[in-house]
Amino acid sequence: MGSATTQARTATAEALASTSGVDLDVARELFAAVGAVSGSAQLSGALSDSSVPPAARAGLVSAVFGPSYRPQTVSLLSSAAQQRWSNAGEFIEGLEELAVQATSVAESADIESELFAFSRTVASNGELELALGGRLGDASAKSALVSKLLGGRTSAGTELIVSSLVGLARGRRVRALLRRAERIVADQRSRIVATVYTAVALNADQQTRLQNALSARYGSAITLNTVIDTSVLGGLRVQVADDVIDASVSARLADLRQRIAG
């Protein structure tokens, strides 16, 4: 990712933070705009062309989206279009990130945990992953499948993110899209996601103590995603980004075997 895109993402996030009245309808329109922009090389190229004056790019946004989209949506799209992006592909990804962030602003539910749970479901069901992520198949049919699977079982925000990303996969793996969305939401809410691998489920007290310990270590609120993994045997293995804390019995046994062999 180029430095221009990094600065553009920051400016777009700041625009979202200063925009009032962002709800799920705005987020839904932003996802629809991602589909429109990614489906037109001419439009994506024009909106991300840094040689075109920012005001002209904002004017194009108003001309294309102004007649049918809410003012908040048009304002956010205009702000994104006026930034300098490294290329059209990164501009489209920036709009997609903006749509996920807007959903996080509009939805108070624990979207991170719901996205993680669904990604685990997809990972454990090859047929489902193929149905959602295969290159063949109509995007609207895939979104309808997500609605059938998640409708009434998760928050409306999570359903919107998953159905939209599946419909806008553009050849990307569904699990990777869900993990990226989870990270975006966590960053939006100033949280760190910790994935905990344990042989048995943690009770509420254990989860609280672990969250407090990790929060003290990383200086941020922590969202726990728990994976039941019998290979852990006992104890825990915790992963936060690239940082792994392995306090599992299996790790201690492996270390003991190495000491004996050495």
Side-chain angles (χ1 to χ4, degrees):
M1 182 185 301
S3 59
T5 291
T6 300
Q7 294 175 9
R9 289 173 60 196
T10 299
T12 302
E14 291 174 349
L16 175 62
S18 64
T19 301
S20 59
V22 174
D23 57 18
L24 287 180
D25 287 334
V26 170
R28 192 171 289 107
E29 288 179 344
L30 288 171
F31 276 118
V34 174
V37 174
S38 63
S40 171
Q42 183 178 7
L43 181 58
S44 62
L47 291 176
S48 61
D49 187 352
S50 59
S51 67
V52 177
R57 282 177 267 157
L60 178 57
V61 167
S62 296
V64 173
F65 300 105
S68 56
Y69 283 21
R70 294 174 61 181
Q72 294 95 328
T73 309
V74 176
S75 175
L76 289 169
L77 291 172
S78 296
S79 178
Q82 291 180 76
Q83 307 308 317
R84 180 169 180 165
W85 301 85
S86 297
N87 53 60
E90 292 189 359
F91 170 63
I92 293 170
E93 287 194 357
L95 290 183
E96 190 172 74
E97 180 172 344
L98 175 62
V100 174
Q101 290 172 328
T103 307
S104 175
V105 169
E107 176 65 77
S108 60
D110 189 358
I111 297 177
E112 306 102 303
S113 295
E114 292 178 346
L115 288 171
F116 178 76
F118 187 67
S119 70
R120 296 294 299 173
T121 299
V122 171
S124 64
N125 189 324
E127 291 184 3
L128 176 59
E129 184 168 18
L130 181 61
L132 294 176
R135 293 180 180 274
L136 300 178
D138 182 67
S140 60
K142 293 178 181 180
S143 296
L145 175 57
V146 170
S147 296
K148 181 179 179 181
L149 293 170
L150 297 184
R153 297 177 178 85
T154 65
S155 64
T158 296
E159 183 179 341
L160 173 60
I161 290 174
V162 177
S163 61
S164 298
L165 293 181
V166 166
L168 299 168
R170 304 193 299 278
R172 297 169 295 174
R173 290 178 64 88
V174 171
R175 276 185 282 170
L177 290 175
L178 296 176
R179 286 195 298 269
R180 175 172 176 262
E182 185 186 346
R183 289 194 297 269
I184 291 171
V185 173
D187 288 344
Q188 173 70 25
R189 297 178 172 182
S190 300
R191 297 177 183 170
I192 292 176
V193 177
T195 304
V196 182
Y197 299 86
T198 175
V200 296
L202 302 179
N203 60 38
D205 181 59
Q206 290 172 321
Q207 291 186 47
T208 298
R209 284 189 280 116
L210 179 58
Q211 280 182 307
N212 291 340
L214 292 173
S215 180
R217 174 168 178 154
Y218 292 100
S220 176
I222 298 290
T223 293
L224 290 184
N225 289 331
T226 303
V227 177
I228 304 301
D229 183 354
T230 55
S231 69
V232 172
L233 297 181
L236 301 170
R237 184 170 73 252
V238 180
Q239 183 165 356
V240 178
D242 295 329
D243 193 8
V244 178
I245 306 169
D246 199 337
S248 64
V249 172
S250 56
R252 291 197 290 270
L253 289 174
D255 181 63
L256 179 60
R257 283 194 292 268
Q258 288 183 341
R259 291 173 181 272
I260 294 174

